[in-house]
Amino acid sequence: MVDIPYRRELEFSYGSVAQLAPGIRRVIANNPSPFTFHGTGTYILGSGQVAVIDPGPNDADHIDAILNALGDEEVSHILVTHTHIDHSPGCRLLQAKTGAPTYAYGPHGAGKVEQGVQVEEGGDMDFQPDHLVKHGDIIRGEDWTVECVYTPGHTSNHLCFALQEQRALFTGDHVMGWSTSIISPPDGDMAAYMDSLQLLLERDDQVYWPTHGPSIIDPKTHVQAYIDHRLDRERQILLCIEQGTHQIRDMVPLMYKDTPQFMYPAAARSVLAAIENLVQKEQVREEGEGPAMDKAYHLA
């Protein structure tokens, strides 16, 4: 991962509601980590009858904080960007208290299952959305309108949600406000991720609200930096191979010199995703049997 410069528009505090813009509020879950930054940011759209985006982890205190922020308001929709355990497990707790239906692309691995790829457990395997939505679908509330933007890559079922009244895009983990995303095969897919970044470049959103980190106020510059970063990682891989380093475990310390060693396993997953993309583009070939992490890779 690489840190991305950002503007701190507010302090991040757990359990309290922050009014970010007209019709947009956020409550931060108390689950900070090297993968979640300050914690999962749950967004509330609209007033009166509201949508909740990503209720977060299985944390009753966080759900209570969301409901306390709403007072007498009603949750009419629960929108889920994807099914990692810091995003969707809170749906079950929130539904138990509100009865609101969930909207998502599908269960964990949905995008890969469609391709016949078996996805190992690792996400929220119990999540089943009440309503399946796809790219371009519109979800309407009393005073808000959301367009579904399918952005596979970080996960195969990842959606962004565009609030049309604000030209604001809620980017989940596809584009974060503090770091790049981890792409971990087989559910994570670098080729799909790069295509999804290109899709965002072609949109005219004015601001991004990621689940982790602050707003992104220059979206196209930020997304282009993401693309450039991934292309640079590809160049690093090709250079490693050219100079005689052929296995991922040996590439990671060379490519991630400024990254703490406890992050190396996550970094290795992203290197694997990048190599799979290079293999697909016929720039790299693999050699050997067994897990991909143990194989040797050579220039094609």
Side-chain angles (χ1 to χ4, degrees), residues 1-10 12 26 28 31-41 43 82 86-87 154 171-182 193 208-217 222-223 225-226 229-230 258-260 262-263 266:
M1 299 193 297
V2 61
D3 290 335
I4 301 292
Y6 60 83
R7 178 174 65 104
R8 290 183 184 271
E9 77 279 343
L10 50 84
F12 290 81
R26 180 175 60 196
I28 304 293
N31 61 334
S33 78
F35 299 99
T36 63
F37 198 38
H38 292 293
T40 299
Y43 290 95
H82 67 293
D86 56 320
H87 288 254
H154 176 64
T171 56
D173 284 2
H174 182 58
V175 177
M176 298 196 290
W178 67 289
S179 174
T180 52
S181 299
I182 292 173
Y193 181 70
Y208 290 172
W209 292 104
T211 301
H212 307 287
S215 61
I216 297 165
I217 58 176
H222 197 94
V223 171
Y226 262 40
H229 169 67
R230 296 297 181 178
D258 297 327
T259 300
F262 74 87
M263 296 290 290

Side-chain angles (χ1 to χ4, degrees), residues 225-237:
Y226 262 40
I227 292 172
D228 293 344
H229 169 67
R230 296 297 181 178
L231 293 175
D232 186 57
R233 288 297 191 207
E234 289 187 1
R235 286 189 286 269
Q236 288 180 291
I237 290 167

Side-chain angles (χ1 to χ4, degrees), residues 179-199:
S179 174
T180 52
S181 299
I182 292 173
I183 313 300
S184 180
D187 193 42
D189 186 310
M190 189 64 74
Y193 181 70
M194 297 293 278
D195 288 343
S196 296
L197 289 175
Q198 187 62 43
L199 172 67

Side-chain angles (χ1 to χ4, degrees), residues 6 18 23 36 48 59 72 80 85 87 107 119 126 149 172 197 231 248-249 266 272 275 292:
Y6 60 83
T36 63
D59 181 348
D72 294 333
V80 177
I85 60 173
H87 288 254
V119 175
D126 295 327
V149 182
L197 289 175
L231 293 175
I248 291 172
R249 63 171 175 266
L272 173 60
I275 286 179

Side-chain angles (χ1 to χ4, degrees), residues 115-150:
Q115 303 170 28
V117 176
Q118 181 65 40
V119 175
E120 81 283 2
E121 294 191 14
D124 180 6
M125 306 304 290
D126 295 327
F127 176 78
Q128 294 286 340
D130 297 310
H131 298 279
L132 296 175
V133 290
K134 61 183 185 301
H135 183 71
D137 282 354
I138 302 296
I139 305 171
R140 289 185 172 87
E142 282 193 343
D143 60 353
W144 52 267
T145 310
V146 162
E147 175 193 359
C148 300
V149 182
Y150 183 44

